[in-house]
């Protein structure tokens, strides 16, 4: 805005200077012309006066007594010359013999021969003015009277005129500059203030206001910008309130939601979706949907809505990390008021728990009866064999009774695991939280399972620093790692290696249980934490596994607010990583 004020002031000053210069030149010429006219008239009158004096006294008398002419020259401050009819000099105040050779004198004499009036002429170098008149006295003598005036006197008067004009114009220029600065400041300062307020409004600061002005026009502008600011502030407040409500609703709704624009770019991902699918805004926002989504089923759903422009509702089973979750996905096109295609909205309802409950109701009896049928059938069969006469044989009796005991232990383990899993899944399940030394805990477990590892000629290693501690329930943590290490021993061939290691981070501890066993295929990893799911069913049953161990491990880790991940390569081994708070 200072540039605007400077430009305005510069334009005003330039205009004023141009006007003053033009006016000065015009007035100078007018004054000069007026002065020369008056000067010429005065010289003519003075010359006529001198001529009348000389005609009255007589030309001869004046030549005989030149004092009269000298007095006239002194009074009038001019040079007088008298020439006869032939142009010869009779009298000259400065005794200029060359006077008759001056072109101006000859011109005057030629003019005087034609007119009795006063005539004038300038010298060739324009340094002198000449005025002439023809004398005819009472003696009938004739002569030419020439009055000569140097131009220096006229130049002096001209300098005075220009000096006066320049002085007055300078004073006027200074006054006008002062008034111009005051006027431009008076008008531009409110405009500058309004411009600053407009800039603040453009930045989003709707609390900015313009101060009042004494000038009507700028005062109206200030009032108008203040009314605009108040209206924008009210509109923005209402919009922010609506936006906050909408944002709170979207972020806190229990289902995941995604907005896709008409070009296929993802514009919004709510918190529920980020938490369910364990993604970040950076991975999704402004990305094309087919690049962001990892699941072909979701991509197909979006493409179907793009092609058909109708609502679609589907149930999907999607793998997320090591889990598989059921979703009811609702997709709908977003159509504007003018039937303009604006994009797609996707809502993911997590129905995994509902599906689990439904599946549990269907599968629980089947799984339990299936798991109990084998030991019950074995117990019943061997008991009937004993009752049929095999009891008399000491060798068969002991062998059959040992099998019955083994199957009874298996049934007991299954029932205990079911009861344990049921307690863990209850709403009021509590643990005895305390600081636990990770190294001491793992070493105790290693002592318990060392015999199994030695029987299979395995190397069980514990690589944990002595200073690592976590917050947790020692009994439940021991249950977690007994299950993991025991599984590693069961599914690792003889001569393999099992390693338990731990590393510290900022506020968490990562504990890894790795082996060189048979490994798990990528398709089976999401299902290993399901109840009664076995990777190698024959091996699991031969070793007495119930199929509930990893399900118990997962629930206990989540009860500790931790995470469990699996990395496995078939034929090379598996690594379970558990992350717990320090």
């Amino acid at each position: 805005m200072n540039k605007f004020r400077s430009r305005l002031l510069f334009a005003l000053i330039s205009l004023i200077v141009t006007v003053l210069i033009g006016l000065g030149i015009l007035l100078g010429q007018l004054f000069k012309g007026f002065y020369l006219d008056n000067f010429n008239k005065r010289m003519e009158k003075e010359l006529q006066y001198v001529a009348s004096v000389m005609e009255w006294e007589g030309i001869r008398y004046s030549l005989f007594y030149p004092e009269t002419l000298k007095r006239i020259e002194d009074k009038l401050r001019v040079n007088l010359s008298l020439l006869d009819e032939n142009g010869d000099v009779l009298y000259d105040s400065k005794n200029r013999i060359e006077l008759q050779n001056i072109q101006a004198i000859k011109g005057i004499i030629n003019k005087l021969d034609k007119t009795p009036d006063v005539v004038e002429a300038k010298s060739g170098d324009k340094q002198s003015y000449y005025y002439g008149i023809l004398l005819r006295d009472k003696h009938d003598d004739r002569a030419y009277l020439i009055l000569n005036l140097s131009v220096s006197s006229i130049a002096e008067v001209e300098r005075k005129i220009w000096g006066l004009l320049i002085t007055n114009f300078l004073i006027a220029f200074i006054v006008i500059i002062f008034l111009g600065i005051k006027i431009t400041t008076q008008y531009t300062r409110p405009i500058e203030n309004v411009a600053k307020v407009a800039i603040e409004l453009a930045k989003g600061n709707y609390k900015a206001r313009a101060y009042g002005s004494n000038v009507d026009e700028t005062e109206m502008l200030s009032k108008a910008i203040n009314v605009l600011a108040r209206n924008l502030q009210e509109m923005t407040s209402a919009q922010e309130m609506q936006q906050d409500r909408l944002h709170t609703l979207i972020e806190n709704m229990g289902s995941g939601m995604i907005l896709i624009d008409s070009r296929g770019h993802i514009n919004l991902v709510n918190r529920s979706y980020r938490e369910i699918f364990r993604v970040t805004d950076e991975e999704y926002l402004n990305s094309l949907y087919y690049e962001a989504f990892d699941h072909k089923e979701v991509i197909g759903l979006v493409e179907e809505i793009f092609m058909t422009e109708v609502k679609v509702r589907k149930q999907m089973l999607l793998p997320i990390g090591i889990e598989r979750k059921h979703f009811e996905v609702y997709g709908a096109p977003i159509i504007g008021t003018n039937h303009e295609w604006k994009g797609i909205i996707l809502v993911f309802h997590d129905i995994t728990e509902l599906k689990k409950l439904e599946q549990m109701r269907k599968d629980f009896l089947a799984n339990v009866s299936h798991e109990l049928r084998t030991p019950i059938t074995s117990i019943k069969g061997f008991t009937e064999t004993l009752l049929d006469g095999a009891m008399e044989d000491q060798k068969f009796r002991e062998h059959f009774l040992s099998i019955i005991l083994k199957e009874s232990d298996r049934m007991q383990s299954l029932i205990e695991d079911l009861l344990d899993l049921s307690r863990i899944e209850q709403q009021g399940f509590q643990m005895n939280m305390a600081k636990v030394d990770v190294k001491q805990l793992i070493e105790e477990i290693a002592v318990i399972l060392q015999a199994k590892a030695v029987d299979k000629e395995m190397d069980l290693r514990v690589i944990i620093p002595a200073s690592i501690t976590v917050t947790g329930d020692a009994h439940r943590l021991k249950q977690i790692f007994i299950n993991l290490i025991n599984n590693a021993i069961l599914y690792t061939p003889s001569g393999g290696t099992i390693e338990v290691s731990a590393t510290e981070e900022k506020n968490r501890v990562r504990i890894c249980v790795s082996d060189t066993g048979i490994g798990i295929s990528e398709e089976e990893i999401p299902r290993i934490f399901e109840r009664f799911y076995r990777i190698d069913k024959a091996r699991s049953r031969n070793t007495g596994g119930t199929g509930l161990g990893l399900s118990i491990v997962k629930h206990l880790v989540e009860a500790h607010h931790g995470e469990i991940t699996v990395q496995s390569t078939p034929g090379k081994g598996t690594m379970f990583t558990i992350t717990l708070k320090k």
Side-chain angles (χ1 to χ4, degrees):
M1 189 56 69
N2 288 330
K3 291 183 179 180
F4 169 73
R5 186 190 300 178
S6 301
R7 289 196 300 269
L8 180 62
L9 188 60
F10 177 75
L12 182 61
I13 291 173
S14 300
L15 178 62
I16 292 171
V17 168
T18 304
V19 172
L20 288 178
I21 291 175
L23 185 61
I25 293 172
L26 179 62
L27 290 177
Q29 294 299 322
L30 289 175
F31 285 153
K32 182 179 179 181
F34 177 75
Y35 174 77
L36 288 177
D37 290 342
N38 288 335
F39 178 79
N40 289 332
K41 291 178 181 179
R42 184 176 66 85
M43 289 295 105
E44 290 177 3
K45 290 179 180 180
E46 290 176 353
L47 187 59
Q48 289 174 352
Y49 170 75
V50 175
S52 63
V53 171
M54 291 183 67
E55 287 178 349
W56 183 77
E57 291 182 349
I59 297 174
R60 294 175 185 176
Y61 180 81
S62 298
L63 291 174
F64 188 75
Y65 296 101
E67 292 81 6
T68 302
L69 296 176
K70 289 182 179 180
R71 284 199 305 271
I72 292 173
E73 288 178 338
D74 294 337
K75 291 290 183 180
L76 300 179
R77 296 180 182 179
V78 296
N79 298 318
L80 293 177
S81 302
L82 195 64
L83 286 75
D84 61 13
E85 291 179 334
N86 298 322
D88 296 329
V89 179
L90 299 177
Y91 171 82
D92 185 61
S93 61
K94 293 186 177 182
N95 298 318
R96 293 172 292 178
I97 306 300
E98 74 281 0
L99 188 64
Q100 63 269 32
N101 297 323
I102 298 176
Q103 190 68 28
I105 299 297
K106 293 179 180 180
I108 289 175
I109 293 174
N110 293 331
K111 291 179 182 179
L112 289 175
D113 289 339
K114 300 175 181 178
T115 177
D117 295 329
V118 177
V119 297
E120 62 177 284
K122 292 183 181 179
S123 63
D125 55 2
K126 298 183 179 181
Q127 295 297 318
S128 300
Y129 283 86
Y130 292 90
Y131 299 86
I133 192 172
L134 179 62
L135 300 179
R136 185 180 288 112
D137 60 7
K138 57 186 176 180
H139 302 292
D140 201 24
D141 291 331
R142 299 179 66 183
Y144 298 105
L145 177 63
I146 305 298
L147 187 148
N148 171 229
L149 180 66
S150 176
V151 78
S152 61
S153 59
I154 299 176
E156 183 179 357
V157 172
E158 188 176 357
R159 282 195 299 272
K160 289 181 180 178
I161 291 173
W162 278 110
L164 181 63
L165 287 174
I166 291 173
T167 302
N168 290 331
F169 282 168
L170 284 176
I171 295 172
F173 178 75
I174 293 172
V175 173
I176 291 172
I177 291 297
F178 174 74
L179 293 177
I181 293 174
K182 186 175 181 180
I183 292 171
T184 53
T185 302
Q186 183 179 3
Y187 277 93
T188 58
R189 186 170 294 169
I191 296 175
E192 290 177 6
N193 178 48
V194 171
K196 290 179 181 177
V197 172
I199 292 172
E200 290 297 318
L201 293 178
K203 292 179 179 178
N205 179 18
Y206 301 121
K207 296 181 180 179
R209 296 291 184 271
Y211 57 79
S213 171
N214 296 326
V215 184
D216 293 339
E217 290 78 5
T218 54
E219 184 178 6
M220 291 174 59
L221 181 61
S222 300
K223 289 181 179 179
I225 201 74
N226 288 338
V227 171
L228 176 62
R230 282 192 292 271
N231 292 339
L232 287 174
Q233 186 175 8
E234 293 174 0
M235 291 172 59
T236 305
S237 299
Q239 184 180 4
E240 287 178 353
M241 185 180 297
Q242 294 294 336
Q243 188 173 359
D244 290 341
R245 291 174 180 173
L246 182 61
H247 181 267
T248 302
L249 175 64
I250 291 174
E251 287 296 313
N252 293 285
M253 64 187 296
S255 302
M257 189 179 77
I258 285 183
L259 286 179
I260 302 173
D261 64 16
S262 58
R263 296 178 298 173
H265 292 88
I266 297 175
N267 290 337
L268 184 144
V269 181
N270 74 339
R271 184 173 61 187
S272 296
Y273 185 91
R274 295 193 299 268
E275 292 176 352
I276 292 172
F277 289 89
R278 298 166 190 169
V279 296
T280 60
D281 286 336
E282 290 76 12
E283 297 174 3
Y284 271 64
L285 291 182
N286 300 319
S287 300
L288 290 168
Y289 69 90
Y290 52 80
E291 295 177 353
F293 292 136
D294 295 328
H295 307 101
K296 294 180 180 179
E297 299 90 338
V298 180
I299 296 174
L301 176 66
V302 175
E303 291 175 347
E304 181 180 349
I305 298 173
F306 268 114
M307 288 186 293
T308 61
E309 297 185 7
V310 295
K311 300 176 183 179
V312 177
R313 185 191 298 268
K314 288 185 178 180
Q315 289 190 3
M316 298 181 182
L317 180 61
L318 303 177
I320 302 173
I322 61 175
E323 299 177 297
R324 294 204 307 171
K325 290 191 174 184
H326 292 268
F327 292 94
E328 186 174 23
V329 184
Y330 175 79
I334 303 173
I335 308 296
T337 53
N338 297 325
H339 302 285
E340 181 185 359
W341 176 269
K342 291 183 177 291
I344 290 174
I345 181 171
L346 293 179
V347 180
F348 293 78
H349 299 288
D350 188 356
I351 58 172
T352 305
E353 293 300 323
L354 295 176
K355 283 288 184 180
K356 283 183 178 179
L357 291 174
E358 182 182 352
Q359 192 66 30
M360 283 174 62
R361 286 195 300 268
K362 294 178 180 178
D363 296 343
F364 181 74
L365 290 177
N367 288 331
V368 172
S369 61
H370 180 73
E371 294 295 329
L372 292 176
R373 183 174 59 188
T374 301
I376 289 174
T377 301
S378 299
I379 293 172
K380 182 180 179 181
F382 288 118
T383 303
E384 289 176 350
T385 303
L386 288 173
L387 292 175
D388 287 341
M391 187 170 53
E392 303 299 331
D393 189 334
Q394 179 69 22
K395 182 179 179 181
F396 279 110
R397 185 173 66 246
E398 291 179 358
H399 177 64
F400 289 164
L401 288 175
S402 65
I403 293 175
I404 292 172
L405 179 61
K406 180 180 177 182
E407 295 298 333
S408 299
D409 291 338
R410 182 179 170 187
M411 290 178 59
Q412 183 180 4
S413 297
L414 177 61
I415 293 170
E416 288 178 354
D417 285 345
L418 284 171
L419 292 174
D420 202 6
L421 187 59
S422 176
R423 284 193 297 270
I424 294 171
E425 290 181 338
Q426 286 180 357
Q427 188 70 27
F429 176 68
Q430 293 182 350
M431 297 184 296
N432 299 319
M433 305 299 284
K435 291 185 178 181
V436 179
D437 187 331
V438 176
K439 182 170 184 171
Q440 180 180 354
L441 180 73
I442 300 299
E443 287 179 346
E444 290 176 0
I445 296 171
V447 170
I448 296 171
L449 300 176
Q450 187 67 42
K452 276 190 176 183
V454 171
D455 290 343
K456 294 187 68 174
E457 299 178 354
M458 292 181 180
D459 184 11
L460 178 57
R461 303 174 184 172
V462 178
I463 307 173
I464 299 176
S467 60
I468 295 181
T469 59
V470 296
T471 301
D473 186 328
H475 173 68
R476 295 299 182 180
L477 290 176
K478 185 177 291 187
Q479 188 176 358
I480 291 171
F481 292 110
I482 286 175
N483 269 296
L484 293 178
I485 298 173
N486 187 54
N487 283 348
I489 294 172
L490 293 177
Y491 290 98
T492 301
S494 299
T497 302
I498 299 170
E499 184 178 289
V500 184
S501 61
T503 56
E504 285 187 283
E505 295 181 357
K506 291 183 179 180
N507 56 353
R508 292 183 176 271
V509 174
R510 292 184 183 275
I511 306 169
C512 299
V513 178
S514 60
D515 60 53
T516 57
I518 61 174
I520 307 170
S521 64
E522 186 177 354
E523 294 78 13
E524 290 182 305
I525 287 178
R527 300 196 60 191
I528 60 175
F529 294 100
E530 294 180 5
R531 295 177 178 86
F532 301 111
Y533 184 79
R534 293 183 176 88
I535 298 169
D536 188 342
K537 297 178 175 56
R539 182 192 296 264
S540 180
R541 284 203 173 91
N542 290 336
T543 55
T546 62
L548 298 173
L550 287 180
S551 182
I552 293 173
V553 167
K554 179 177 179 295
H555 282 81
L556 288 177
V557 170
E558 290 176 350
H560 282 83
H561 304 288
E563 294 180 358
I564 181 169
T565 58
V566 183
Q567 293 178 345
S568 182
T569 303
K572 294 184 178 180
T574 305
M575 181 174 69
F576 286 84
T577 302
I578 296 175
T579 304
L580 300 172
K581 290 183 179 180
K582 279 189 179 181

